[in-house]
Amino acid sequence: MNSTSVIIDQVICVCCKRDAQAWEIASSYIVRNLKARHYKVYVPDADLELFQEISSKPFQVIGESIYTSQFAAEIKRLLDAKIASQFGWYLQQFIKLSAVNDCLPDEIVLIWDADTIPLKPLSFIDHQGRLIYYKGAEYHHPYFETVMRLLHLSKKIRFSFIAQCFVLKAAWLQECFREIELRHGMPWVPALLNSIRFDEGNSFSEYETIGTFISHRHSSEIVYTDRKWLRLGNSAIGHPAFLGPNIIADQLNDYDYVSFEKWDKAKPYFLKVSLPYFFRVYLPSLFKSKNQR
């Protein structure tokens, strides 16, 4: 199989209002640097209009209620009150899985985290048609306890599949769900809900779960890359709004993509973020809007 004749069929993202600022910038880089036939972002229904305004074309903005009615209420019920703040974190994982499951079996899908920006054109299919996975460094044992309960599969690789993006064939996820349903005697959603220890918190990773399955069942069809990516984008440059050709060339040239997660904040925040943002972003946009009136 020649990789030049095979591209990603679907890029799937999930976002919410608190990440809208990063998404507005990320969506333009995604369209520019991730070649695909279709681009979809799932957002809360209340924020559809906002995301339709800020998402780069040809992104299709879809209300997440198309899926969340199947599991949102149950996730909220199962979560311990002390970790109720993890509701959105669990919810977005179920949305991603549902969206990929709805793809055609022969489609190649790239799940891409909405707060992550590809810095250059990237390929996820090698010259032999194998799918390419980036490596993460974290290890959280409860993720693999859930995988064992779900699939009776152990961790096979030394590194992590949690790397801000995840490529797969939709057929692989559908195969995984069939195996889960046969093993548990129920549809995949309740089987997954029953297997997650919601009272413990941080007990499930969609990337580690599906990655473990693929590493066992389709190891000859995948390959891993050591190319670098950066998780601490805010610490590195302060804010995604500061991203540009010079910053990429001078500070981020070694990386394929960079993530801007909310928990990561540049310090001191006022000097490195608030003031530069006011002068570089807010004032220019204010003047521009006034001139257009």
Side-chain angles (χ1 to χ4, degrees):
M1 185 183 296
N2 189 329
S3 65
T4 59
S5 64
V6 181
I7 65 170
I8 300 298
D9 291 291
Q10 306 265 2
V11 170
I12 289 176
C13 306
V14 177
C15 199
C16 60
K17 192 173 183 178
R18 71 171 190 173
D19 291 319
Q21 203 171 57
W23 170 253
E24 183 171 10
I25 298 162
S27 65
S28 64
Y29 279 86
I30 291 170
V31 170
R32 187 187 318 162
N33 290 326
L34 304 177
K35 187 178 180 183
R37 292 188 174 89
H38 304 283
Y39 302 83
K40 295 177 181 177
V41 58
Y42 294 85
V43 304
D45 289 35
D47 300 325
L48 271 169
E49 187 174 338
L50 166 67
F51 279 92
Q52 286 166 348
E53 290 177 1
I54 66 174
S55 300
S56 293
K57 295 186 183 306
F59 258 102
Q60 181 183 358
V61 181
I62 304 169
E64 64 183 28
S65 64
I66 189 174
Y67 296 125
T68 54
S69 60
Q70 304 172 49
F71 41 73
E74 189 66 5
I75 293 174
K76 191 168 287 188
R77 185 187 72 81
L78 291 168
L79 266 175
D80 190 281
K82 295 178 182 178
I83 52 173
S85 61
Q86 291 184 12
F87 171 72
W89 180 76
Y90 278 112
L91 189 73
Q92 55 90 20
Q93 295 188 69
F94 275 74
I95 294 169
K96 292 173 188 174
L97 293 174
S98 299
V100 177
N101 191 43
D102 267 358
C103 293
L104 297 173
D106 62 349
E107 288 189 313
I108 297 174
V109 184
L110 175 62
I111 304 172
W112 189 269
D113 285 5
D115 58 8
T116 300
I117 296 176
L119 301 172
K120 59 193 71 170
L122 302 179
S123 175
F124 287 83
I125 307 165
D126 75 2
H127 67 281
Q128 298 180 43
R130 297 175 299 181
L131 302 191
I132 301 170
Y133 289 84
Y134 285 82
K135 299 177 181 179
E138 67 179 88
Y139 173 76
H140 186 57
H141 187 66
Y143 293 158
F144 300 98
E145 292 179 335
T146 301
V147 176
M148 182 59 70
R149 286 190 291 271
L150 268 176
L151 292 159
H152 285 212
L153 295 176
S154 58
K155 181 174 173 62
K156 188 177 179 183
I157 60 172
R158 293 180 178 272
F159 46 87
S160 172
F161 280 101
I162 301 174
Q164 314 303 118
C165 58
F166 191 95
V167 66
L168 73 163
K169 295 179 181 179
W172 294 349
L173 180 70
Q174 293 155 2
E175 177 190 344
C176 178
F177 284 171
R178 285 195 298 272
E179 189 167 322
I180 289 171
E181 291 172 353
L182 284 171
R183 182 175 293 278
H184 294 268
M186 63 182 72
W188 72 269
V189 169
L192 185 49
L193 289 169
N194 288 344
S195 298
I196 296 171
R197 297 293 184 258
F198 285 100
D199 56 332
E200 297 175 1
N202 296 112
S203 185
F204 175 68
S205 164
E206 81 282 37
Y207 290 170
E208 296 286 36
T209 300
I210 307 305
T212 299
F213 177 83
I214 292 170
S215 69
H216 279 271
R217 302 287 188 260
H218 298 279
S219 59
S220 64
E221 300 174 72
I222 64 176
V223 66
Y224 306 105
T225 180
D226 289 317
R227 292 183 64 86
K228 294 168 64 176
W229 58 277
L230 181 64
R231 189 168 191 175
L232 305 178
N234 287 318
S235 294
I237 70 168
H239 192 281
F242 304 155
L243 199 64
N246 291 338
I247 292 289
I248 292 173
D250 295 340
Q251 298 183 40
L252 303 173
N253 191 51
D254 290 339
Y255 302 104
D256 280 6
Y257 54 88
V258 57
S259 176
F260 293 89
E261 299 187 9
K262 282 292 183 183
W263 58 267
D264 170 42
K265 290 184 181 261
K267 299 176 183 179
Y269 191 81
F270 181 76
L271 293 177
K272 288 189 175 181
V273 181
S274 298
L275 276 179
Y277 185 86
F278 180 80
F279 286 108
R280 291 190 223 171
V281 180
Y282 179 76
L283 277 182
S285 65
L286 182 64
F287 288 133
K288 183 179 179 181
S289 64
K290 284 184 176 180
N291 290 334
Q292 289 175 343
R293 289 174 186 171

